[in-house]
């Protein structure tokens, strides 16, 4: 994702029925729908970097559950002057389910939920 390598990202996912929830999005089901969402995100993001924290891994047989906090720094399309748009930070808690295949571990499901910060909560209170 950070390199913008759609083919490598696609190869991480299982070929069968998969699902994905990006923060604020509805549930996406099926390989076509999930991969289209990543293509859309990648086409509208000039810069993205993930710092993973609070990572926990549990493996039972051929299934693995990985939870973490994604500390995301991203920048939108370039401004008129050709420079990267403003950088934005976001916290997302993520749950990823992997399945072991003959080709290695592949992603079966990803669910990301935004983490509200104090300023997010204050903004909601101000709007009330």
């Amino acid at each position: 994702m950070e390199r913008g390598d759609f083919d490598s990202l696609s190869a991480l996912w299982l070929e069968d029925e998969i699902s994905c929830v990006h923060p604020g999005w509805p549930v996406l089901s099926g390989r076509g729908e999930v991969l289209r969402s990543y293509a859309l995100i990648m086409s509208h993001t000039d810069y993205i970097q993930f710092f993973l924290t609070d990572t926990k891994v549990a493996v039972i047989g051929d299934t693995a559950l990985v939870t973490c906090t994604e500390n995301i720094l991203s920048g939108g399309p370039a401004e008129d002057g050709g420079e990267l748009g403003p950088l934005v930070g976001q916290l997302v808690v993520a749950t990823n389910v992997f399945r072991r295949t003959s080709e290695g571990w592949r992603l079966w499901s990803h669910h990301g939920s935004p983490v509200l910060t104090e300023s997010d909560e204050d903004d909601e209170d101000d709007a009330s």
Side-chain angles (χ1 to χ4, degrees):
M1 185 91 173
E2 290 181 352
R3 290 189 320 263
D5 186 342
F6 182 76
D7 291 336
S8 292
L9 184 131
S10 299
L12 295 174
W13 287 86
L14 284 171
E15 292 292 330
D16 9 327
E17 195 58 29
I18 60 176
S19 67
C20 180
V21 178
H22 298 294
W25 292 42
V27 177
L28 304 174
S29 298
R31 190 168 169 83
E33 198 169 78
V34 169
L35 294 181
R36 267 191 300 279
S37 73
Y38 280 99
L40 180 65
I41 291 167
M42 292 169 90
S43 71
H44 288 88
T45 306
D46 289 343
Y47 174 83
I48 193 162
Q49 189 171 13
F50 294 82
F51 301 93
L52 304 182
T53 58
D54 309 316
T55 304
K56 294 183 177 52
V57 178
V59 178
I60 300 174
D62 290 334
T63 304
L65 178 68
V66 179
T67 59
C68 66
T69 300
E70 298 175 346
N71 303 268
I72 305 169
L73 185 62
S74 63
E79 303 291 329
D80 290 336
E83 294 185 19
L84 183 65
L87 292 177
V88 177
Q90 181 181 17
L91 286 178
V92 172
V93 289
T95 301
N96 299 284
V97 182
F98 291 85
R99 199 165 67 201
R100 188 187 336 247
T101 71
S102 57
E103 293 84 34
W105 289 98
R106 297 292 182 262
L107 194 52
W108 190 358
S109 181
H110 167 78
H111 186 124
S113 296
V115 175
L116 296 178
T117 62
E118 281 188 40
S119 62
D120 292 336
E121 292 169 357
D122 291 344
D123 292 345
E124 288 176 10
D125 291 342
D126 293 344
S128 301

